[in-house]
Amino acid sequence: MDDAKIIGSIAASAAGSVGAGSITVATVTSSAPGLLGVIGLTTTTTVALPVAGIVAGAGLAAYGAIKVIKWLND
């Protein structure tokens, strides 16, 4: 199969998962700055990645691994 067709199908699958939302990868809690931190209040930061990006990254990584394995075996 042609490389461009394979990469196009990976992009299509990633585009199909655009509405799927995001995945939380980290949640960090720290004390609030200034006077609010002094009285014990905290802030929470959430790091989230879009599902479409994860699908595209995983697809391209798998495709690259397959290409390397085939190259090593030839």
Side-chain angles (χ1 to χ4, degrees), residues 11-22 50-53 55:
S13 67
S17 62
V18 166
S22 61
V51 172
V55 169

Side-chain angles (χ1 to χ4, degrees), residues 6-71:
I6 293 172
I7 293 174
S9 65
I10 292 171
S13 67
S17 62
V18 166
S22 61
I23 297 173
T24 301
V25 293
T27 302
V28 180
T29 303
S30 61
S31 61
L35 182 60
L36 296 176
V38 172
I39 63 172
L41 297 178
T42 60
T43 61
T44 303
T45 303
T46 303
V47 178
L49 299 175
V51 172
I54 294 170
V55 169
L60 291 173
Y63 177 66
I66 290 170
K67 293 292 277 187
V68 168
I69 291 169
K70 286 183 178 180
W71 179 76

